[in-house]
Amino acid sequence: MPASPSTARAINDRSALGLLQDRGPLTAGQLKQLTGLSRPTVADLVERLGAAGLITVVGESGAARRGPNARLYGIAADRAHLAALDVRTEGVAVLVADLVGRVLAEASVPIEGDTGTGPAVQRVVAAVAGAVGRAGAERLHTVGIGAPGLIDPATGDLRDSAGLPAWHRSLSAALQERLPGARVTVENETNLAALAEQREGAARDRDTFVLLWLGHGTGAAVVLDGTLRRGASGGTGEIGFLPVPGTPTLPSATDCSGGFHTLAGAAAVVSLGAEHGLPTPATTDGPGAAGLVREAVERVRAAGRPAGAGRAEHGPGNRSAVAAGEHEPGDRSAGAAAGEPVATRGTGTGHPVGRTPRPVAEGRPVVGGGAWEEIPAAGEPVVARGADAETEADAGTTVGREASEGGPQESLGGEEPPAVGEPTDREPVTAADPAGTAVGADERFLSALADRIAIGAASVVAVLDPGCVVLGGEIGHAGGDVLAGLVAQRLRRMSPLPTEVRAGALGGSAVLRGALLTARDRAQDTLWSDPSRSPVPS
């Protein structure tokens, strides 16, 4: 049955608005070409959306012959204002943006551990109000909040979780009370990070992947066939509670100590660095642990150790992907045929939300083998090797050439990593070591960290077979392609399932970006659902 005229208009309006969001300002002629609609239909559409206050003339195309088609139409960015919040145990980050996602103001609110619920909530509400004022906005249309803990799928509220501050649960209601008319929504922080990495970061070419959050805490987000999976109780991805070898106890229903969190949380990473004689940060939070990992990676690179996990992508700050468990050459399910270069996409930071350029092929290499293998020469195709094709010499390769330096052999999956705080036979190496083995300490630290991360990643891969694991959060981002390569190396030997491992491109900022993306999507969905009922703001 053909669509009614009103339905057809709504479909055309949404199509045009989507094009303006993704591509930026367009002329009526360009809208006609991209939508396939007739000139009269486009003219009617432009007039209707303009009257609803959703689009406006933002300039001229510069065409030699001026006329109606030379006008550039864009989304009326000030039609609505949005706020995004990243709620952490120790404070909240806030930003305010316009309807296209352009950030207008930011704020940060530290919350000490002994702060009561009332004062903590008041500080955050005041910070949001201050950011709204600096952005020049009269009111907020939509607020997106990212917070740790479980989201009740029935109510959309944060569930009471042990170990999290009580003020977290009160914040949403307080903001709703202070911001009448605004739509306030809460989402798990790791889920929002996955959304941001898929839209703007390391997973833009993936419909199915798992984001492993490595920061102050640990978590996972699962995206299958383009859909974020939350589970029956909203607890999909609570990997911090995953029982794993190498811990002195088991987690409980109210405490993740003894689970994967004990191996890969920020405090555990800092403790592991101290065991290897590395300078430890003043704080054991996500940024502190990330700094420790970043410095270790930088010293390895500065020493000329080739990061065989992959070469840097084209573009500043981008890290390449690596593959684990590839099938034999020629098997397209492994992600690339033998000898075939693997395409990638850039991260595209610094653009308004939803306006990130998406190049088709920028040369994301996929490689196998140890994390310290030699890098192929420039221009040489990078081949993903299958586990079956791995030679005995490859299987015995030690990370960072540790065998020649007296370091431990690489774990093949059967060896349990030491428990946190357990004595180890690895002697700390100082920077003043005349033998020049200080970099060996960095390599051994990264190797031991990869052992731990791979345990959690292998569990996820065995159950979900996602094909791609993104190491997100501050620690995953800091480790870059070096840490991703080490984890991929272990996964290849622990699992028969082909799994690509990538470093997150957004780090700790992914939660805030995901909250803003969610707020923008919901605001646009509301405003664009029926332009005829969207009055022009006063």
Side-chain angles (χ1 to χ4, degrees):
M1 184 176 67
S4 66
S6 60
T7 301
R9 283 195 298 270
I11 293 173
N12 294 339
D13 291 347
R14 291 298 293 263
S15 176
L17 289 166
L19 287 169
L20 292 172
Q21 172 66 60
D22 293 338
R23 296 173 177 262
L26 299 170
T27 66
Q30 290 169 329
L31 284 171
K32 174 182 177 299
Q33 181 181 12
L34 292 170
T35 60
L37 300 174
S38 66
R39 186 180 299 274
T41 300
V42 170
D44 180 62
L45 175 153
V46 168
E47 182 178 359
R48 183 170 58 252
L49 295 179
L54 295 179
I55 68 172
T56 186
V57 177
V58 297
E60 295 182 345
S61 65
R65 177 181 176 276
R66 296 197 173 187
N69 287 355
R71 295 177 181 174
L72 281 171
Y73 297 95
I75 291 176
D78 60 352
R79 177 65 181 82
H81 289 90
L82 324 167
L85 282 73
D86 179 4
V87 178
R88 304 289 180 100
T89 303
E90 68 281 1
V92 178
V94 181
L95 63 80
V96 174
D98 59 22
L99 186 58
V100 297
R102 184 168 49 246
V103 177
L104 304 176
E106 300 182 72
S108 179
V109 189
I111 306 291
E112 295 77 14
D114 58 352
T115 305
T117 297
V121 170
Q122 289 175 6
R123 289 185 195 176
V124 177
V125 171
V128 172
V132 170
R134 291 192 300 276
E138 294 184 3
R139 63 177 183 268
L140 292 174
H141 183 281
T142 305
V143 179
I145 303 174
L150 303 179
I151 308 298
D152 189 320
T155 65
D157 297 328
L158 268 175
R159 290 171 51 187
D160 190 11
S161 301
L164 295 177
W167 60 268
H168 281 196
R169 296 189 66 222
S170 304
L171 183 58
S172 175
L175 285 171
Q176 189 68 78
E177 181 181 352
R178 290 289 299 272
L179 302 170
R183 301 177 62 198
V184 180
T185 58
V186 185
E187 179 59 272
N188 175 266
E189 59 176 355
T190 307
N191 288 344
L192 291 178
L195 171 64
E197 290 286 0
Q198 187 179 37
R199 296 277 193 91
E200 301 181 339
R204 283 180 296 155
D205 58 342
R206 304 291 307 200
D207 288 331
T208 296
F209 70 99
V210 167
L211 180 130
L212 194 61
W213 181 266
L214 303 171
H216 182 74
T218 56
V222 178
V223 178
L224 301 178
D225 299 325
T227 302
L228 181 69
R229 306 294 180 177
R230 295 178 174 83
S233 64
T236 295
E238 287 296 314
I239 198 172
F241 287 86
L242 180 72
V244 292
T247 60
T249 184
L250 290 175
S252 69
T254 58
D255 188 359
C256 61
S257 298
F260 180 66
H261 172 80
T262 300
L263 287 186
V269 173
V270 172
S271 177
L272 183 65
E275 290 179 20
H276 287 79
L278 304 186
T280 56
T283 60
T284 58
D285 58 3
L292 174 67
V293 172
R294 184 180 299 105
E295 290 171 3
V297 170
E298 289 174 352
R299 286 191 293 267
V300 166
R301 292 187 182 279
R305 304 281 188 170
R311 296 171 290 185
E313 292 180 352
H314 302 294
N318 297 347
R319 299 297 187 188
S320 58
V322 294
E326 293 87 2
H327 292 174
E328 294 185 0
D331 187 341
R332 305 294 288 190
S333 66
E340 179 181 338
V342 180
T344 104
R345 305 171 186 268
T347 58
T349 57
H351 298 275
V353 174
R355 291 282 308 283
T356 306
R358 300 188 178 188
V360 175
E362 293 185 0
R364 181 190 298 277
V366 176
V367 312
W372 315 113
E373 292 182 44
E374 296 297 334
I375 303 175
E380 178 182 346
V382 186
V383 182
R385 296 187 305 174
D388 295 339
E390 188 172 19
T391 65
E392 183 178 351
D394 290 329
T397 300
T398 55
V399 177
R401 304 191 182 99
E402 292 168 347
S404 63
E405 298 175 353
Q409 293 293 318
E410 174 190 337
S411 168
L412 300 182
E415 178 185 351
E416 294 186 1
V420 175
E422 179 181 330
T424 173
D425 58 356
R426 301 171 183 171
E427 294 295 331
V429 182
T430 66
D433 190 335
T437 54
V439 175
D442 292 313
E443 293 175 353
R444 286 190 288 274
F445 162 67
L446 294 172
S447 175
L449 179 57
D451 285 340
R452 295 181 174 200
I453 295 172
I455 290 174
S459 301
V460 171
V461 167
V463 174
L464 297 175
D465 187 18
C468 178
V469 173
V470 176
L471 304 184
E474 296 95 343
I475 296 172
H477 178 66
D481 60 337
V482 172
L483 184 60
L486 291 168
V487 174
Q489 185 182 33
R490 284 145 179 76
L491 281 183
R492 184 173 61 254
R493 291 168 177 170
M494 295 169 68
S495 172
L497 306 177
T499 307
E500 188 178 6
V501 179
R502 301 178 179 180
L506 303 178
S509 68
V511 177
L512 202 56
R513 297 299 298 175
L516 179 56
L517 283 163
T518 300
R520 188 214 67 187
D521 289 351
R522 289 174 177 169
Q524 291 184 349
D525 186 63
T526 300
L527 294 171
W528 296 355
S529 60
D530 189 354
S532 64
R533 297 182 182 179
S534 299
V536 178
S538 57

